[in-house]
């Protein structure tokens, strides 16, 4: 008798695909039977404890999996880069190993590579499980042994995030976190940026570009060395101190993990490690991402699954991370990398779906939860695959949250193509509140994607060139007035009802005036746009500080444990007057998008004993004209009906506690 899948109870539209969902569950069980052999996932995902370099009583042991290789040799500065002095022994199943004594001279900090002989050819590669990779003066890369005698001592103990508090995620890139024209470091981020995040009230950081990548401008999304911390930002212990310090501040740290593809580079990456293109990746066109120019993993190979699952466990154990945001899941799920519009349910269960990738993601989420019970798992999936955020045992894929990727697209499309008076509040409400049944999402109005060259941030779309001339508090600019007002409204309406969590990209909370463009040949290798200008928000004569103050107040209000878990109820939608009112967790949010008229209206409430205005975007500290804390509401009772009268200025939002 086949077991019932709860996912079918959550979404009636999935009923015609019951057999597909049953097959999904059966594929997972078959994969476990084939790979685990009675072991737990945690026991299986220990590749990093076997492969790579490990200190022994006598010296070192190094192991590598290279099934197509004829011979492997370890070389490095410890043996004068001699390609033949230290041959590795074949031990079966495509595995090679070498034992070294202290007399061989290998030590912490040694530079190493592995020399591979395969099919009559020989070439140098960087060890697959290396923990650190460093770039040389000639731009080549070497592996570096990272095994310091003095281990990092964690100060914050076993950190446990407050799971009752909704996630407020600060998406950050360490390299561009400094105002200086350079690549910033983990240490500088810890010293200079963490206190800003703590002050703002965000309770999680999502770190980008941590996994080693040879090209800085890839934003960390073309990974070469999956177990190595990007050395351009500092040493592994510097990252540990960053995470440790964040934990001490009560901030969880989420890693942007890239298991959807890998850079094809051979000298510094995994490309043709053993001389074949199929060791880790699909062969031919199926192994090439048509848009990204990267290599695509073969999730049907147990050795590939073993490598990637071990990578997940490594990051959780070694760096005490609190979760992952899985990048590029849509590309993984479909043979065409999701290069289509998803309009019908049968597109999710067609021959185009990569069932091996689905199984891998289920294994990945199960392993993460087994390793760390409260591990946060966020899926970046544009396709809307059913069950993405439903537990595996209920027929889902097992993530906790999906990124609400349609929301920033909606805002950019609106700002780019419509006059203010033509904004469709009905369409806005639909985009803000659409969810798959029983699935949680992380809402956001813009991320790093909208900050890249080729696009614009919300503040840049709103203020345009006047962002450079009109942000002074001593200058009157109607365009900047509009920009500041709408920036606050867009972010609050998104944070308040677009999800069960919220995300902001570094600097966007104050309307950072520049896009992101990494140093490259086309811009003369300039750092002009690969930095964050914190001095702007610290300058009391500029209005960036007002925008930042609003973001802090917004997070403080919405971070309350009962808030983002509550249902969202539409109270009033007046397209003619440009007013949108909704209720969530005992609070009324009254948005007046009208550019010309204030709005005074009555809204029904249930209890008049605790009614007060808790936030008004027109308070002076937020760049408005009202005295901070100003504003009162009038309650009226007619028979058993209680209503509250709210006065909302044009282009502003008022939040009323009306429990």
């Amino acid at each position: 008798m086949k077991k019932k899948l709860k996912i079918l109870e959550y979404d009636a539209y999935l009923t015609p695909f019951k057999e597909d969902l049953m097959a999904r569950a059966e594929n997972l069980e078959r994969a476990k039977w084939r790979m685990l052999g009675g072991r737990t996932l945690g026991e299986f995902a220990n590749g990093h404890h076997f492969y790579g370099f490990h200190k022994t009583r006598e010296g070192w042991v190094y192991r590598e999996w290279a099934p197509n290789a004829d011979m492997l040799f370890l070389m490095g500065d410890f043996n004068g880069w001699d390609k033949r002095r230290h041959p590795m022994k074949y031990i079966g199943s495509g595995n090679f190993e070498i034992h070294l004594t202290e007399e061989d001279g290998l030590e912490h900090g040694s530079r190493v590579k592995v020399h591979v002989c395969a099919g009559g050819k020989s070439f140098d590669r960087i060890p697959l499980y290396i923990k650190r990779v460093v770039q040389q003066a000639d731009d080549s890369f070497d592996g570096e042994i990272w095994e310091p005698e003095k281990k990092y001592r964690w100060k914050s103990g076993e950190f446990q995030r407050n799971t009752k508090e909704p996630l407020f995620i600060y998406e950050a890139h360490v390299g561009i976190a400094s105002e200086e024209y350079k690549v910033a470091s983990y240490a500088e981020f810890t010293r200079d940026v963490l206190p800003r995040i703590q002050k703002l009230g965000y309770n999680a950081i999502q770190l980008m570009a941590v996994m080693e990548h040879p090209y800085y401008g890839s934003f960390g999304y073309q990974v070469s060395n999956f177990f190595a911390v990007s050395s351009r930002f500092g040493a592994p212990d510097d990252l540990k101190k960053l995470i440790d310090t964040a934990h001490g501040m009560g901030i969880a740290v989420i890693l942007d993990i890239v298991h959807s593809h890998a850079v094809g580079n051979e000298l510094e990456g995994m490309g043709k490690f053993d001389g074949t293109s199929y060791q880790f990746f699909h062969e031919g066109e199926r192994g090439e991402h048509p848009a990204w120019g990267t290599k695509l993993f073969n999730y049907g190979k147990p050795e590939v699954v073993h490598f990637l699952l071990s990578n997940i466990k490594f990051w959780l154990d070694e760096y005490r991370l609190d979760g992952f945001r899985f990048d590029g899941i849509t590309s993984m799920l479909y043979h065409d990398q999701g290069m289509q519009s998803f309009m019908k349910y049968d597109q999710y269960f067609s021959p185009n779906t990569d069932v091996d990738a689905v199984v891998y993601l289920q294994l990945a989420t199960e392993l993460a939860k087994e390793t760390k019970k409260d591990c946060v798992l966020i899926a970046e999936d544009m396709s809307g695959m059913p069950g993405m955020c439903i537990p595996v045992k209920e027929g889902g894929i097992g993530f906790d949250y999906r990124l609400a990727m349609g929301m920033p697209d909606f805002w950019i499309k609106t700002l780019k193509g419509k006059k203010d008076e033509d904004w469709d509040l009905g369409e806005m409400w639909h985009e803000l509140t659409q969810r798959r049944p029983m699935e949680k999402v992380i809402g956001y109005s813009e991320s790093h994607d909208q900050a890249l060259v080729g696009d614009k941030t919300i503040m840049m779309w709103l203020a345009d060139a006047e962002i450079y001339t009109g942000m002074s508090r001593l200058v009157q600019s109607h365009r900047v007035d509009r920009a500041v007002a709408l920036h606050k409204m867009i972010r609050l309406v998104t944070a308040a009802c677009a999800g069960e969590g919220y995300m902001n990209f570094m600097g966007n909370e104050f309307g950072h005036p520049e896009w992101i463009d990494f140093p490259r040949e086309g811009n003369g290798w300039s750092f002009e746009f690969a930095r964050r200008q914190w001095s702007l928000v610290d300058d009391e004569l500029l209005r960036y500080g007002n925008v930042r103050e609003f973001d802090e107040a917004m997070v403080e209000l919405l971070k309350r444990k009962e808030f983002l878990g509550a249902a969202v109820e539409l109270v009033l939608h007046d397209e003619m007057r440009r007013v949108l009112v909704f209720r969530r967790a005992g609070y009324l949010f009254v948005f007046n998008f009208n550019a010309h008229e204030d709005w005074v209206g009555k809204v029904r409430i249930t209890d008049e004993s605790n009614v007060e205005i808790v936030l008004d975007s027109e308070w002076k500290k937020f760049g408005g004209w009202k005295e901070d804390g100003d504003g009162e509401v009038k309650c009226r009772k007619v028979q058993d009906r209680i209503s509250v009268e709210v006065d909302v200025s044009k282009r502003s939002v008022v939040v009323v506690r009306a429990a």
Side-chain angles (χ1 to χ4, degrees):
M1 180 179 174
K2 291 183 177 180
K3 64 179 181 179
K4 289 183 66 177
L5 295 175
K6 278 196 173 183
I7 190 173
L8 294 168
E9 299 173 19
Y10 302 149
D11 189 347
Y13 289 105
L14 286 172
T15 302
F17 307 99
K18 178 180 178 180
E19 293 303 316
D20 296 278
L21 290 166
M22 289 293 185
R24 176 190 286 182
E26 291 165 4
N27 290 338
L28 176 62
E29 291 308 311
R30 277 197 297 269
K32 286 182 176 179
W33 179 84
R34 186 174 75 249
M35 289 188 292
L36 301 187
R39 293 170 292 178
T40 65
L41 267 175
E43 291 167 340
F44 173 72
N46 278 328
H48 52 297
H49 292 309
F50 180 77
Y51 295 109
F53 292 86
H54 302 282
K55 201 84 172 67
T56 66
R57 187 173 299 174
E58 296 77 21
W60 296 85
V61 61
Y62 164 52
R63 299 186 186 94
E64 203 69 80
W65 177 65
N68 189 61
D70 300 314
M71 295 186 71
L72 264 61
F73 299 84
L74 177 63
M75 64 180 192
D77 54 9
F78 74 99
N79 71 358
W81 296 99
D82 190 317
K83 296 180 186 290
R84 297 285 171 169
R85 192 188 305 177
H86 287 90
M88 298 178 68
K89 179 183 177 182
Y90 182 71
I91 58 173
S93 302
N95 297 312
F96 295 79
E97 74 173 16
I98 184 171
H99 292 263
L100 299 99
T101 65
E102 291 184 359
E103 285 72 28
D104 287 300
L106 190 70
E107 60 185 7
H108 169 69
S110 293
R111 303 290 174 88
V112 293
K113 283 185 178 178
V114 56
H115 184 66
V116 182
C117 299
K121 297 180 180 179
S122 60
F123 37 85
D124 300 337
R125 296 287 185 260
I126 291 178
L128 289 171
Y129 285 80
I130 200 77
K131 295 179 183 178
R132 181 168 164 82
V133 175
V134 290
Q135 191 168 9
Q136 306 305 319
D138 63 358
D139 290 336
S140 66
F141 290 80
D142 292 334
E144 181 177 290
I145 302 295
W146 189 263
E147 197 68 44
E149 286 188 23
K150 190 176 180 181
K151 302 288 187 184
Y152 181 83
R153 295 186 64 182
W154 295 85
K155 298 179 179 61
S156 58
E158 288 294 332
F159 173 75
Q160 287 193 328
R161 66 182 182 89
N162 183 356
T163 55
K164 294 182 179 179
E165 197 174 71
L167 277 176
F168 277 79
I169 302 170
Y170 197 86
E171 185 186 30
H173 185 289
V174 168
I176 66 170
S178 169
E179 188 155 353
E180 297 180 55
Y181 291 73
K182 67 175 188 177
V183 177
S185 68
Y186 298 120
E188 289 168 322
F189 187 94
T190 303
R191 183 193 67 205
D192 300 332
V193 184
L194 279 183
R196 292 181 182 273
I197 299 171
Q198 182 185 36
K199 176 84 166 55
L200 284 164
Y202 288 83
N203 55 18
I205 308 167
Q206 182 177 297
L207 284 181
M208 309 170 63
V210 168
M211 301 166 78
E212 189 59 88
H213 49 290
Y215 178 45
Y216 186 44
S218 74
F219 231 138
Y221 290 122
Q222 295 187 4
V223 174
S224 53
N225 313 99
F226 282 71
F227 292 82
V229 171
S230 182
S231 61
R232 58 171 55 88
F233 310 135
D237 283 6
D238 296 330
L239 176 61
K240 288 179 180 179
K241 185 175 181 181
L242 187 163
I243 295 167
D244 201 8
T245 306
H247 285 170
M249 295 176 170
I251 300 171
V253 182
I254 298 167
L255 179 71
D256 214 341
I257 197 167
V258 185
H259 281 184
S260 49
H261 61 132
V263 70
N265 299 28
E266 297 172 13
L267 295 180
E268 58 268 317
M270 299 170 65
K272 294 186 178 179
F273 181 86
D274 70 350
T276 66
S277 59
Y278 54 81
Q279 181 183 3
F280 288 97
F281 310 114
H282 288 291
E283 280 194 276
E285 288 187 8
R286 192 178 174 191
E288 305 286 340
H289 196 292
W292 300 340
T294 49
K295 303 295 291 184
L296 298 174
F297 287 107
N298 181 353
Y299 304 104
K301 290 185 71 170
E303 296 88 354
V304 173
V305 172
H306 182 241
F307 178 85
L308 294 174
L309 290 181
S310 299
N311 190 236
I312 289 171
K313 191 176 180 187
F314 166 79
W315 285 107
L316 288 175
D317 287 347
E318 183 75 12
Y319 289 93
R320 300 194 180 185
L321 290 162
D322 305 292
F324 300 103
R325 178 261 201 188
F326 275 68
D327 176 70
I329 282 180
T330 308
S331 174
M332 300 172 69
L333 290 173
Y334 308 100
H335 295 307
D336 68 354
Q337 283 66 64
M339 303 270 188
Q340 58 179 303
S341 296
F342 288 83
M343 309 297 291
K344 299 181 296 182
Y345 269 54
D346 56 11
Q347 290 175 277
Y348 302 114
F349 303 101
S350 72
N352 185 40
T353 302
D354 188 335
V355 294
D356 291 328
V358 174
V359 168
Y360 169 69
L361 289 171
Q362 291 176 303
L363 292 170
T365 57
E366 280 197 338
L367 170 70
K369 294 293 186 181
E370 180 185 312
T371 306
K372 188 178 179 70
K373 187 177 180 180
D374 62 349
C375 183
V376 179
L377 298 172
I378 303 169
E380 190 216 26
D381 172 33
M382 298 174 65
S383 74
M385 168 66 80
M388 182 63 70
C389 302
I390 300 292
V392 172
K393 65 182 179 181
E394 296 179 7
I397 298 178
F399 285 86
D400 298 307
Y401 299 90
R402 183 202 307 273
L403 286 180
M405 300 181 72
M407 207 61 242
D409 291 342
F410 167 80
W411 287 124
I412 296 301
K413 182 180 71 174
T414 300
L415 295 171
K416 194 174 180 179
K418 293 185 178 181
K419 297 178 181 178
D420 294 2
E421 58 269 26
D422 294 331
W423 286 20
D424 187 331
L425 301 188
E427 182 186 5
M428 180 192 301
W429 181 253
H430 171 74
E431 290 291 342
L432 286 164
T433 57
Q434 64 168 334
R435 315 262 205 285
R436 287 215 179 276
M438 301 298 290
E439 294 196 342
K440 296 187 293 186
V441 302
I442 300 292
Y444 62 107
S445 53
E446 54 186 343
S447 69
H448 69 274
D449 286 328
Q450 286 70 46
L452 288 167
V453 162
D455 206 335
K456 294 181 184 178
T457 62
I458 285 175
M459 188 60 91
M460 285 289 286
W461 278 113
L462 289 167
D464 202 42
E466 288 191 45
I467 202 168
Y468 301 110
T469 59
M471 288 298 284
S472 169
R473 298 185 189 188
L474 306 177
V475 173
Q476 182 63 46
S477 166
H478 294 298
R479 187 175 190 110
V480 169
D481 288 344
R482 167 184 173 269
V484 170
L486 288 177
H487 192 275
K488 291 180 288 186
M489 295 179 73
I490 287 170
R491 296 176 79 76
L492 180 56
V493 76
T494 303
C497 69
E500 289 69 40
Y502 177 72
M503 183 177 73
N504 162 68
F505 178 66
M506 178 174 65
N508 285 0
E509 73 277 2
F510 66 83
H512 197 281
E514 299 289 8
W515 49 77
I516 300 166
D517 188 17
F518 287 92
R520 55 187 173 84
E521 188 174 1
N523 64 16
W525 303 102
S526 170
F527 282 91
E528 174 70 27
F529 301 115
R531 60 197 183 101
R532 299 282 90 177
Q533 298 182 57
W534 304 109
S535 61
L536 296 176
V537 72
D538 295 337
D539 189 334
E540 294 183 359
L541 287 178
L542 299 178
R543 299 182 67 176
Y544 296 105
N546 299 134
V547 181
R548 195 216 73 89
E549 286 284 341
F550 183 80
D551 197 84
E552 180 180 339
M554 175 185 82
V555 171
E556 181 184 5
L557 171 66
L558 302 182
K559 206 170 66 172
R560 299 172 187 184
K561 63 182 180 182
E562 78 280 2
F563 195 85
L564 291 187
V568 184
E569 175 194 353
L570 180 62
V571 176
L572 176 66
H573 166 209
D574 188 334
E575 204 74 50
M576 185 73 69
R577 298 289 300 276
R578 319 299 298 143
V579 173
L580 186 69
V581 183
F582 60 87
R583 181 183 287 111
R584 195 170 194 182
Y587 292 84
L588 282 172
F589 291 78
V590 188
F591 286 83
N592 179 11
F593 286 94
N594 197 309
H596 308 291
E597 297 179 3
D598 297 347
W599 183 82
V600 179
K602 297 182 180 65
V603 183
R604 188 177 178 185
I605 59 174
T606 56
D607 183 4
E608 61 179 318
S609 61
N610 193 25
V611 176
E612 64 173 326
I613 292 176
V614 295
L615 191 69
D616 188 328
S617 63
E618 280 298 321
W619 285 342
K620 282 186 176 178
K621 63 181 176 181
F622 306 141
W625 58 273
K626 297 179 183 177
E627 293 299 324
D628 296 345
D630 240 10
E632 61 177 342
V633 292
K634 299 174 184 176
C635 288
R636 299 179 184 275
K637 188 171 184 179
V638 179
Q639 296 179 348
D640 63 340
R641 294 173 65 90
I642 307 170
S643 64
V644 59
E645 187 175 285
V646 188
D647 188 344
V648 187
S649 303
K650 62 186 179 183
R651 278 201 187 116
S652 73
V653 52
V654 171
V655 183
V656 180
R657 180 174 23 230

